[in-house]
Amino acid sequence: MIVQQALGTRFWTALALIIGLVGPVQAQQTRIDPGRDSVSVILQDATVTISRDGPPCPPACIQPMQSAPGVTTWGEIELIDFLAGPVASGTGLLVDTRLPEVHAIRTLPGAVNVPQATLSPDNPYRPDLLTALGVGSAGGAFGLLLFSDGAADPLARMAVTSLLDAGYPADRLYYYRAGLSGWMALGLNTVPGG
Amino acid sequence: MIRMFLYAAGFVAVTLMLVLMQPGSATDQAAVTQIQDVSRDATPLTGPLNDRLDSILSDQVQGDQIQNGPPPGSRNVAATTDAMPAAASSQTDLAADTSVQRTAPQDVSLTPDAQLRNLTWTTLSRLNAATGQDAAPGREGSMLNMIVRRSLEVTSPAPAPQSVTAPPPQDNRYTVQPGDSLAGIALKLYGDVNMTGPLFALNQTELPRANALRAGQVLVLPER
C-alpha cells in the first residue's frame, strides 16, 4: 500500500498495460535460422527490421535456397517437367522425405516416400536403400527430386546432405524447397500417399 | 489500486496460457524431428514382388537349414514381432506388412533399431515397386536377397557351411520333391540360398509364379 501511494496510479496503469501488450508479442517470436533471431539493417537513414513469428527454430528454421554445393534447387514448373520426363521414363524419382504417416495423408502426385531417417548415417540398413536407388549400378543412380513440408522443414535438406555424404552424385540430386505447403499455396493438387 | 494489479496479473496469466498452448510448439516438433512411434504401413503392399515373397518365404522355408542356431543373446528385442533370426520371423514380418491393419501398441514395443529396419524395408519395397525393379527373388538387389542376408548375419555370425559347400549337381536337372521350396532347393544343391534367384530365373517356363512349384516338376539348374 505504501508503494502504491508513492508511485501513483498512472505508473501502475502504465506498467499493467506494458506487461499486457508486450508480453504476448515476445512470446511467439522465433528465430529466422539457427544463427539469427531477427535482423536489423540500416538502409540510407532508416532502420529495417526483419523478425519472425511462428513455430520454434530449431527445428523449423528457414532453409537457404541452396541445400548443398552442386545440388540444384527447383520450383514447381521444373518439378512438373521432371515428373513428365525423367520420372515417367524411369530414370528419376520424386521423393517425399517426410514420415510415412504424414506422407499417407497428403503428398505430391507421383511421389514416393523415402523418410529422411532411412537415409541418415545411423541407419545400418542404408546400403540396401542406396543400392535400390541405383548407387553403384551400371545404369547409374536415379535422379532424385527431394521435398518435405516446406521451406521451414529441414528434412529434405538433411536428406540431401546424407545422400551426398553417402556418395550420391550431386548432379543427380535436386531440391524442391517450397515443399508441400508451397505446392498447395499455389493451388496445385495433392494426393494421398500410397 | 488493487484493480490495476489484478488487470496486470490477468494479462500475464492470459499471456502465459497463450504461450503454453501455442499450436506451433510441441506437437509440430514431434512430427519434424526424430522417429517417434513408427507404425507399420497400414496399406497392404500389392504387386508381383510381394506375391513372390509370400510364396518363397512360405512355411517350407521354416523347416530348412536357414536358421543355423539360436539368436545371439545380445539381440534381446521384443519377442512379439521383431525377433529377426530365422525366416520364420521374416515371414511373419512380411505377412504383417501385407495384412490390412496393425494396431499401434505392437509398434511401441519395437526398439528404435527395429523401427528403423521396418521403415527401411517398407521404403525399399515401395521403391522397388515404383521403379519397376522387381529383381528376381534372391538376386542381388531384391528384397528377398536383403532379408535373407540379414537373417543369416544375425543367426550365424560365423557361418559354418562355408567349409562344407555342397558339391555342384552332376547333371543340370532336378526333380522337385514334395515339400520342396525354391529357397530350400537352392540351399540343398548349392549351399547358398542366394541361388534362389538364378534358379527361378532359369525356370520361368515351368514357374510363371514362384509358388507354382509342384512335386515332379523338372527344373533346369544354373551354373553356380
Side-chain angles (χ1 to χ4, degrees):
Chain A
M1 297 303 115
I2 298 172
V3 176
Q4 287 164 234
Q5 286 164 0
L7 291 179
T9 312
R10 285 190 188 162
F11 170 79
W12 294 108
T13 316
L15 186 61
L17 279 173
I18 287 169
I19 292 172
L21 292 174
V22 173
V25 173
Q26 291 292 349
Q28 291 174 19
Q29 191 161 40
T30 181
R31 290 201 167 134
I32 295 171
D33 67 6
R36 288 178 274 217
D37 280 6
S38 67
V39 176
S40 288
V41 180
I42 300 174
L43 304 177
Q44 307 298 339
D45 50 356
T47 304
V48 168
T49 306
I50 302 170
S51 63
R52 184 181 176 216
D53 277 351
C57 154
C61 300
I62 299 179
Q63 305 296 316
M65 200 64 186
Q66 180 160 53
S67 56
V71 177
T72 316
T73 302
W74 276 351
E76 289 73 18
I77 301 296
E78 289 80 13
L79 189 153
I80 293 169
D81 291 341
F82 182 75
L83 259 181
V87 178
S89 67
T91 58
L93 286 172
L94 179 60
V95 174
D96 185 346
T97 57
R98 301 172 302 157
L99 285 176
E101 299 85 18
V102 196
H103 168 84
I105 296 171
R106 185 184 304 122
T107 187
L108 263 56
V112 293
N113 184 220
V114 181
Q116 179 271 332
T118 60
L119 295 170
S120 92
D122 300 336
N123 182 11
Y125 310 98
R126 186 170 74 162
D128 300 299
L129 197 49
L130 294 174
T131 308
L133 289 173
V135 175
S137 76
F142 282 92
L144 299 182
L145 176 49
L146 299 127
F147 70 94
S148 56
D149 196 54
D153 188 356
L155 288 179
R157 191 154 164 254
M158 289 162 68
V160 166
T161 312
S162 301
L163 282 168
L164 288 174
D165 291 340
Y168 214 92
D171 60 351
R172 306 293 288 158
L173 289 175
Y174 312 98
Y175 172 46
Y176 175 50
R177 178 173 176 271
L180 192 71
S181 47
W183 180 267
M184 289 167 62
L186 292 172
L188 294 162
N189 70 310
T190 59
V191 296
Chain B
M1 228 3 79
I2 304 236
R3 248 187 293 176
M4 293 300 148
F5 276 117
L6 289 177
Y7 286 144
F11 272 120
V12 170
V14 171
T15 303
L16 281 175
M17 253 180 40
L18 287 173
V19 168
L20 292 173
M21 292 167 52
Q22 270 191 73
S25 51
T27 50
D28 281 3
Q29 218 159 2
V32 167
T33 50
Q34 331 159 4
I35 297 177
Q36 298 290 322
D37 297 327
V38 178
S39 59
R40 285 192 197 278
D41 186 19
T43 60
L45 300 172
T46 57
L49 178 64
N50 249 59
D51 292 339
R52 288 191 207 146
L53 286 172
D54 278 345
S55 55
I56 287 176
L57 289 181
S58 60
D59 292 340
Q60 294 144 335
V61 177
Q62 269 177 318
D64 283 337
Q65 297 91 323
I66 287 183
Q67 40 193 18
N68 283 327
S74 58
R75 299 282 293 215
N76 199 14
V77 294
T80 48
T81 51
D82 63 335
M84 252 305 284
S89 51
S90 311
Q91 176 217 346
T92 323
D93 278 346
L94 284 172
D97 277 338
T98 54
S99 69
V100 176
Q101 205 74 17
R102 268 289 172 183
T103 57
Q106 208 160 11
D107 304 304
V108 176
S109 68
L110 294 180
T111 64
D113 178 75
Q115 290 177 355
L116 205 48
R117 185 192 69 224
N118 292 340
L119 191 60
T120 312
W121 286 6
T122 314
T123 306
L124 260 177
S125 72
R126 281 210 209 93
L127 266 180
N128 283 336
T131 59
Q133 282 177 351
D134 287 353
R139 191 155 279 169
E140 195 65 39
S142 70
M143 270 249 309
L144 173 64
N145 182 276
M146 188 196 83
I147 291 165
V148 174
R149 256 189 304 120
R150 294 276 171 210
S151 312
L152 294 176
E153 280 167 23
V154 171
T155 58
S156 55
Q162 289 291 353
S163 57
V164 191
T165 50
Q170 305 291 39
D171 53 65
N172 67 339
R173 306 239 162 217
Y174 173 80
T175 310
V176 178
Q177 308 296 323
D180 271 349
S181 66
L182 272 181
I185 295 171
L187 193 66
K188 181 165 59 175
L189 298 181
Y190 297 96
D192 180 12
V193 73
N194 288 329
M195 289 301 289
T196 311
L199 185 62
F200 179 56
L202 209 55
N203 291 284
Q204 291 283 318
T205 51
E206 284 283 327
L207 305 169
R209 292 160 51 97
N211 62 357
L213 203 64
R214 299 279 176 264
Q217 277 178 328
V218 178
L219 302 180
V220 179
L221 300 173
E223 297 292 311
R224 176 172 281 278

